[in-house]
Amino acid sequence: MKKSITILLSSLILSIVCCKKSETVETEVQKPVNDTLTKTDYSKGYPINFDDTKVISNVFVTDRKGTGMKQEKDVNSKTLGTYEYGVMLEVIEDAGDWLGVRDRITRTYTENGKTIESNGWEKVYVRKEATGKMGQLSLLPSDLNVINFLTINEKNQELKENQRLNEFIKIELINKSLFDSKKQTSVNYLVRDTTAITKKNGIIELKTPNKTKIFKDNPTDEDSRQIFSYLGQVPVLNQYLVQGNYYEGSDFQFIDKTMGAETKTFVDLPFVSPDKKHIIAIYSNPYESTADLELYSVNGSKIKNIISASFKNWMPAIDPSEMFWSNDGYLYLNVNHSKVAWQENGQMNNQFQYIRIRVL
């Protein structure tokens, strides 16, 4: 699945670049507010032709507070919107303390008593001191627990903007030295006996005392596409583990080794805690640029979802991905800030940071 996600990310990057060639598509990085102007005022902008405008460099917003999108290279100029921390900007002019950047601007103005909306490519300005290189972007401890989605016991919760998750789990930034040292104490209950159960003619058969569970591939390019892989078993929980890849997604399923029934479906590879009381699965979501985390409790044969949460500011690394429980009771993983999880060329950013998660 990790390889397919990397390909998907590359496709997404390329599709964004291609879309910018159209005069009718809004850029992903623009976050302007509508600017109500008269017809005369509207002419004060700097319209540009997308195809005839050369991008001289790309920069990122490195000011944690974001930076204003100005109509002129002047702090007192009209503010058309705000660029958030981490947004990549296409520079088309270097004007000393200011950078002229290419963006698609939406404006509304009145003409003959009617409100008219117009949008087009323009040159706008940002303060150079608020920008920098990708390597200057990094996670802070305060970034780690910001969420934009949460369920508790499978019930959706209403959230405020930039709400923090202070219950259920604790997330900490750590250094690479600690991360590497804890690999020596990792605990993994997944037995990857993939040669014990093989696929034949596109069919996987999991034979159990109660029944035979069958997974059948449908290798089409249509919505009904499904390709299954046997990943192994988790003997301590009496479960087989099967991965399903579909037209626009994937999942991981526990199949009870006695009953042959589906026990639980996870958003990504499930990691069983050293005390066998919890499971955590974390999906690096390329569509929303979030870390989608599921936390489960384990009580005998019962596996119950405690929370599902999407973390706004970080994503697990995909290539290479490293995630493991240590015998100290923490889940360790390498991550990136969501804004720089992948590079401009579609490749994954390999300048990782490291975190650990403890169940409260």
Side-chain angles (χ1 to χ4, degrees):
M1 185 193 74
K2 302 301 181 185
K3 183 180 293 184
S4 64
I5 291 180
T6 302
I7 295 172
L8 172 61
L9 292 177
S10 300
S11 300
L12 290 175
I13 297 294
L14 290 174
S15 66
I16 291 173
V17 172
C18 293
C19 286
K20 286 186 175 182
K21 297 300 182 181
S22 169
E23 286 297 308
T24 61
V25 178
E26 292 193 17
T27 176
E28 290 288 336
V29 301
Q30 176 218 350
K31 293 184 178 295
V33 293
N34 281 348
D35 191 16
T36 302
L37 306 168
T38 65
K39 181 68 172 180
T40 303
D41 288 336
Y42 180 67
S43 65
K44 292 181 180 179
Y46 294 95
I48 60 173
N49 183 294
F50 182 94
D51 294 317
D52 294 339
T53 304
K54 180 181 179 180
V55 176
I56 60 177
S57 66
N58 291 322
V59 298
F60 293 81
V61 177
T62 53
D63 190 322
R64 300 290 301 191
K65 297 179 181 178
T67 189
M69 176 197 300
K70 293 290 187 177
Q71 185 161 291
E72 308 283 348
K73 43 182 179 284
D74 184 340
V75 291
N76 297 317
S77 171
K78 185 181 295 294
T79 300
L80 302 176
T82 301
Y83 290 117
E84 296 180 351
Y85 176 75
V87 168
M88 188 184 78
L89 305 175
E90 297 179 321
V91 179
I92 59 176
E93 178 189 357
D94 189 332
D97 294 335
W98 293 85
L99 295 175
V101 302
R102 178 172 70 179
D103 209 339
R104 195 171 181 86
I105 306 301
T106 300
R107 299 177 184 261
T108 58
Y109 60 91
T110 58
E111 183 178 18
N112 299 326
K114 294 183 180 180
T115 299
I116 300 174
E117 182 177 281
S118 176
N119 62 76
W121 291 100
E122 295 187 26
K123 177 172 63 177
V124 295
Y125 290 92
V126 298
R127 294 179 301 111
K128 183 183 291 186
E129 66 181 8
T131 68
K133 298 181 179 180
M134 176 185 284
Q136 295 174 247
L137 301 175
S138 61
L139 290 164
L140 298 178
S142 57
D143 295 326
L144 298 179
N145 63 344
V146 179
I147 58 174
N148 54 21
F149 173 81
L150 177 66
T151 69
I152 300 176
N153 296 324
E154 301 185 349
K155 295 181 179 179
N156 289 342
Q157 306 295 305
E158 292 188 10
L159 302 179
K160 300 177 182 178
E161 185 176 359
N162 292 324
Q163 184 160 327
R164 300 178 184 279
L165 183 66
N166 296 315
E167 301 177 285
F168 304 106
I169 61 174
K170 181 180 180 180
I171 311 176
E172 301 174 293
L173 272 176
I174 60 172
N175 58 41
K176 188 178 187 301
S177 177
L178 177 60
F179 181 87
D180 289 340
S181 69
K182 290 299 179 179
K183 290 180 185 178
Q184 311 304 317
T185 63
S186 63
V187 178
N188 185 5
Y189 293 116
L190 175 61
V191 178
R192 292 185 176 270
D193 59 341
T194 53
T195 59
I197 298 176
T198 58
K199 184 187 298 185
K200 296 180 180 179
N201 300 319
I203 297 175
I204 296 174
E205 293 186 349
L206 300 180
K207 297 180 180 180
T208 71
N210 187 60
K211 70 174 184 179
T212 299
K213 176 70 174 180
I214 296 176
F215 292 91
K216 185 176 182 180
D217 290 350
N218 183 20
T220 176
D221 291 331
E222 304 300 326
D223 291 352
S224 58
R225 172 184 174 85
Q226 54 182 27
I227 305 292
F228 297 101
S229 301
Y230 172 72
L231 300 185
Q233 59 177 298
V234 183
V236 296
L237 299 183
N238 195 41
Q239 303 291 325
Y240 289 122
L241 180 61
V242 174
Q243 179 182 356
N245 283 293
Y246 312 106
Y247 184 67
E248 288 187 340
S250 63
D251 61 24
F252 294 74
Q253 301 177 38
F254 268 172
I255 305 299
D256 188 278
K257 292 177 61 179
T258 300
M259 303 303 295
E262 179 185 320
T263 304
K264 191 64 65 175
T265 299
F266 305 94
V267 69
D268 210 298
L269 188 68
F271 288 81
V272 182
S273 63
D275 61 6
K276 300 182 285 294
K277 293 182 178 180
H278 294 95
I279 294 173
I280 290 180
I282 311 178
Y283 172 54
S284 193
N285 188 330
Y287 302 101
E288 302 295 333
S289 295
T290 55
D292 296 347
L293 181 148
E294 296 175 338
L295 170 65
Y296 296 84
S297 63
V298 179
N299 184 6
S301 61
K302 294 182 179 180
I303 301 174
K304 179 183 177 182
N305 179 261
I306 301 174
I307 64 165
S308 296
S310 292
F311 290 86
K312 177 181 177 181
N313 294 319
W314 58 272
M315 298 172 65
I318 294 176
D319 188 17
S321 173
E322 294 187 275
M323 191 181 308
F324 58 88
W325 284 97
S326 166
N327 61 12
D328 64 2
Y330 284 90
L331 180 70
Y332 290 79
L333 61 155
N334 56 341
V335 300
N336 286 117
H337 195 293
S338 296
K339 297 293 186 180
V340 292
W342 51 88
Q343 304 175 64
E344 301 164 49
N345 61 6
Q347 299 299 312
M348 296 304 302
N349 181 8
N350 59 6
Q351 302 300 309
F352 305 124
Q353 289 182 266
Y354 301 87
I355 66 173
R356 64 180 184 179
I357 300 173
R358 178 168 62 89
V359 180
L360 299 178

